[in-house]
CSV table of all heavy atoms in Angstrom, one decimal:
chain,number,residue,atom,x,y,z
A,14,ASP,N,77.9,135.4,48.3
A,14,ASP,CA,79.0,135.4,49.2
A,14,ASP,C,78.7,136.1,50.5
A,14,ASP,O,79.1,135.7,51.6
A,14,ASP,CB,80.2,136.0,48.5
A,14,ASP,CG,80.8,135.1,47.4
A,14,ASP,OD1,80.4,134.0,47.3
A,14,ASP,OD2,81.6,135.6,46.6
A,15,ALA,N,78.0,137.2,50.4
A,15,ALA,CA,77.7,138.0,51.5
A,15,ALA,C,76.7,137.4,52.5
A,15,ALA,O,76.7,137.5,53.7
A,15,ALA,CB,77.2,139.4,51.1
A,16,ALA,N,75.7,136.6,51.9
A,16,ALA,CA,74.6,136.1,52.6
A,16,ALA,C,74.8,134.5,52.8
A,16,ALA,O,73.9,133.9,53.5
A,16,ALA,CB,73.3,136.4,52.0
A,17,ASP,N,75.8,133.9,52.3
A,17,ASP,CA,75.9,132.5,52.3
A,17,ASP,C,74.7,131.8,51.7
A,17,ASP,O,74.2,130.8,52.2
A,17,ASP,CB,76.1,131.9,53.7
A,17,ASP,CG,77.2,130.8,53.8
A,17,ASP,OD1,77.6,130.4,52.7
A,17,ASP,OD2,77.6,130.4,54.9
A,18,GLY,N,74.3,132.4,50.5
A,18,GLY,CA,73.2,131.8,49.8
A,18,GLY,C,72.0,132.8,49.7
A,18,GLY,O,71.7,133.5,50.6
A,19,VAL,N,71.3,132.7,48.5
A,19,VAL,CA,70.2,133.6,48.2
A,19,VAL,C,69.1,132.7,47.7
A,19,VAL,O,69.3,131.9,46.8
A,19,VAL,CB,70.6,134.7,47.2
A,19,VAL,CG1,69.4,135.6,47.0
A,19,VAL,CG2,71.8,135.5,47.7
A,20,PHE,N,67.9,132.9,48.2
A,20,PHE,CA,66.7,132.1,47.8
A,20,PHE,C,66.0,132.7,46.6
A,20,PHE,O,65.8,134.0,46.6
A,20,PHE,CB,65.7,132.0,49.0
A,20,PHE,CG,66.1,131.3,50.2
A,20,PHE,CD1,66.9,131.9,51.2
A,20,PHE,CD2,65.8,129.9,50.3
A,20,PHE,CE1,67.2,131.2,52.3
A,20,PHE,CE2,66.1,129.2,51.4
A,20,PHE,CZ,66.9,129.8,52.4
A,21,TRP,N,65.7,131.9,45.6
A,21,TRP,CA,64.9,132.4,44.5
A,21,TRP,C,63.4,132.2,44.8
A,21,TRP,O,63.1,131.3,45.7
A,21,TRP,CB,65.3,131.7,43.2
A,21,TRP,CG,64.9,130.2,43.1
A,21,TRP,CD1,65.7,129.1,43.3
A,21,TRP,CD2,63.6,129.7,42.7
A,21,TRP,NE1,65.0,128.0,43.1
A,21,TRP,CE2,63.7,128.3,42.7
A,21,TRP,CE3,62.4,130.3,42.3
A,21,TRP,CZ2,62.7,127.4,42.4
A,21,TRP,CZ3,61.3,129.4,42.0
A,21,TRP,CH2,61.5,128.0,42.0
A,22,PRO,N,62.5,132.9,44.2
A,22,PRO,CA,62.8,134.0,43.2
A,22,PRO,C,63.3,135.2,43.9
A,22,PRO,O,63.0,135.6,45.0
A,22,PRO,CB,61.4,134.3,42.6
A,22,PRO,CG,60.4,133.9,43.7
A,22,PRO,CD,61.1,132.7,44.4
A,23,CYS,N,64.2,135.9,43.1
A,23,CYS,CA,64.8,137.1,43.6
A,23,CYS,C,65.0,138.1,42.4
A,23,CYS,O,66.1,138.1,41.7
A,23,CYS,CB,66.2,136.8,44.2
A,23,CYS,SG,67.0,138.2,45.0
A,24,PRO,N,64.0,138.8,42.0
A,24,PRO,CA,64.0,139.6,40.8
A,24,PRO,C,65.0,140.8,40.8
A,24,PRO,O,65.5,141.2,39.7
A,24,PRO,CB,62.6,140.1,40.6
A,24,PRO,CG,61.7,139.2,41.5
A,24,PRO,CD,62.7,138.8,42.6
A,25,ARG,N,65.2,141.4,42.0
A,25,ARG,CA,66.1,142.6,42.0
A,25,ARG,C,67.1,142.5,43.1
A,25,ARG,O,66.9,141.9,44.2
A,25,ARG,CB,65.2,143.8,42.2
A,25,ARG,CG,64.2,144.1,41.1
A,25,ARG,CD,63.3,145.2,41.5
A,25,ARG,NE,64.0,146.4,42.0
A,25,ARG,CZ,64.4,147.4,41.1
A,25,ARG,NH1,64.1,147.3,39.8
A,25,ARG,NH2,65.1,148.4,41.5
A,26,GLU,N,68.3,143.1,42.8
A,26,GLU,CA,69.3,143.1,43.8
A,26,GLU,C,69.0,143.9,45.1
A,26,GLU,O,69.5,143.7,46.1
A,26,GLU,CB,70.6,143.5,43.2
A,26,GLU,CG,71.3,142.5,42.3
A,26,GLU,CD,72.7,142.9,42.0
A,26,GLU,OE1,73.6,142.8,42.9
A,26,GLU,OE2,73.0,143.3,40.9
A,27,ASP,N,68.2,144.9,44.9
A,27,ASP,CA,67.8,145.8,46.0
A,27,ASP,C,66.6,145.4,46.8
A,27,ASP,O,66.0,146.1,47.5
A,27,ASP,CB,67.7,147.3,45.5
A,27,ASP,CG,66.6,147.4,44.4
A,27,ASP,OD1,66.1,146.4,44.0
A,27,ASP,OD2,66.4,148.5,44.0
A,28,GLU,N,66.1,144.1,46.5
A,28,GLU,CA,65.0,143.6,47.2
A,28,GLU,C,65.3,142.3,47.9
A,28,GLU,O,66.3,141.7,47.6
A,28,GLU,CB,63.8,143.3,46.2
A,28,GLU,CG,63.2,144.6,45.6
A,28,GLU,CD,62.1,144.3,44.6
A,28,GLU,OE1,61.8,143.0,44.4
A,28,GLU,OE2,61.5,145.2,44.1
A,29,ALA,N,64.5,142.0,48.9
A,29,ALA,CA,64.8,140.8,49.7
A,29,ALA,C,64.5,139.5,48.8
A,29,ALA,O,63.8,139.6,47.8
A,29,ALA,CB,63.9,140.7,50.9
A,30,ASP,N,65.2,138.4,49.2
A,30,ASP,CA,65.0,137.2,48.5
A,30,ASP,C,63.8,136.5,49.1
A,30,ASP,O,63.0,137.1,49.8
A,30,ASP,CB,66.3,136.3,48.5
A,30,ASP,CG,66.7,135.9,49.9
A,30,ASP,OD1,66.1,136.5,50.9
A,30,ASP,OD2,67.5,135.0,50.1
A,31,SER,N,63.6,135.2,48.8
A,31,SER,CA,62.3,134.5,49.1
A,31,SER,C,62.5,133.2,49.8
A,31,SER,O,62.3,132.1,49.3
A,31,SER,CB,61.5,134.3,47.8
A,31,SER,OG,61.4,135.5,47.1
A,32,PRO,N,62.9,133.2,51.1
A,32,PRO,CA,63.1,132.0,51.8
A,32,PRO,C,61.8,131.2,52.0
A,32,PRO,O,61.7,130.0,52.1
A,32,PRO,CB,63.7,132.4,53.1
A,32,PRO,CG,63.5,133.8,53.3
A,32,PRO,CD,63.4,134.4,51.9
A,33,ARG,N,60.7,132.0,52.1
A,33,ARG,CA,59.3,131.4,52.3
A,33,ARG,C,58.4,131.8,51.2
A,33,ARG,O,58.3,133.0,50.8
A,33,ARG,CB,58.7,131.8,53.6
A,33,ARG,CG,59.5,131.4,54.8
A,33,ARG,CD,58.8,131.8,56.1
A,33,ARG,NE,59.7,131.6,57.2
A,33,ARG,CZ,59.9,130.5,57.8
A,33,ARG,NH1,59.2,129.4,57.4
A,33,ARG,NH2,60.7,130.3,58.8
A,34,LEU,N,57.7,130.8,50.6
A,34,LEU,CA,56.7,131.1,49.6
A,34,LEU,C,55.3,131.0,50.1
A,34,LEU,O,55.1,130.3,51.1
A,34,LEU,CB,56.9,130.2,48.4
A,34,LEU,CG,58.3,130.1,47.7
A,34,LEU,CD1,58.4,129.1,46.6
A,34,LEU,CD2,58.7,131.5,47.2
A,35,PHE,N,54.4,131.5,49.4
A,35,PHE,CA,52.9,131.3,49.5
A,35,PHE,C,52.3,132.0,50.7
A,35,PHE,O,51.2,131.6,51.1
A,35,PHE,CB,52.6,129.8,49.6
A,35,PHE,CG,53.3,128.9,48.6
A,35,PHE,CD1,53.7,127.6,48.9
A,35,PHE,CD2,53.5,129.4,47.3
A,35,PHE,CE1,54.3,126.9,47.9
A,35,PHE,CE2,54.1,128.6,46.3
A,35,PHE,CZ,54.5,127.3,46.6
A,36,ALA,N,53.0,132.9,51.4
A,36,ALA,CA,52.4,133.5,52.5
A,36,ALA,C,51.1,134.3,52.2
A,36,ALA,O,50.1,134.3,52.9
A,36,ALA,CB,53.4,134.5,53.2
A,37,ASP,N,51.1,135.0,51.0
A,37,ASP,CA,50.0,135.8,50.6
A,37,ASP,C,49.3,135.2,49.4
A,37,ASP,O,48.1,135.4,49.2
A,37,ASP,CB,50.5,137.2,50.3
A,37,ASP,CG,51.1,137.9,51.5
A,37,ASP,OD1,50.6,137.8,52.6
A,37,ASP,OD2,52.3,138.4,51.3
A,38,ARG,N,50.0,134.6,48.5
A,38,ARG,CA,49.4,134.1,47.2
A,38,ARG,C,50.3,133.0,46.7
A,38,ARG,O,51.5,132.8,47.1
A,38,ARG,CB,49.3,135.2,46.2
A,38,ARG,CG,50.6,135.9,45.8
A,38,ARG,CD,50.3,137.0,44.7
A,38,ARG,NE,50.1,136.4,43.4
A,38,ARG,CZ,48.9,136.5,42.7
A,38,ARG,NH1,48.0,137.3,43.2
A,38,ARG,NH2,48.7,135.9,41.6
A,39,PHE,N,49.7,132.2,45.8
A,39,PHE,CA,50.4,131.2,45.1
A,39,PHE,C,50.8,131.7,43.7
A,39,PHE,O,50.4,132.8,43.3
A,39,PHE,CB,49.6,129.9,45.0
A,39,PHE,CG,49.3,129.3,46.3
A,39,PHE,CD1,48.1,129.6,47.0
A,39,PHE,CD2,50.2,128.4,46.9
A,39,PHE,CE1,47.9,129.0,48.3
A,39,PHE,CE2,50.0,127.8,48.1
A,39,PHE,CZ,48.8,128.1,48.8
A,40,ALA,N,51.7,131.0,43.0
A,40,ALA,CA,52.2,131.5,41.8
A,40,ALA,C,51.4,131.1,40.6
A,40,ALA,O,51.8,130.7,39.5
A,40,ALA,CB,53.7,130.9,41.6
């Protein structure tokens, strides 16, 4: 509600979500 959407993966509430993947490594 606060951000109008949250990108996964998002393991912790006190960490940023993941609008962009693969910048440093692949999964």
Side-chain angles (χ1 to χ4, degrees):
D14 290 345
D17 221 352
V19 180
F20 293 85
W21 70 262
C23 185
R25 295 173 55 88
E26 284 193 72
D27 58 357
E28 293 181 356
D30 61 348
S31 308
R33 298 181 190 280
L34 302 180
F35 315 144
D37 303 312
R38 59 178 286 118
F39 293 94

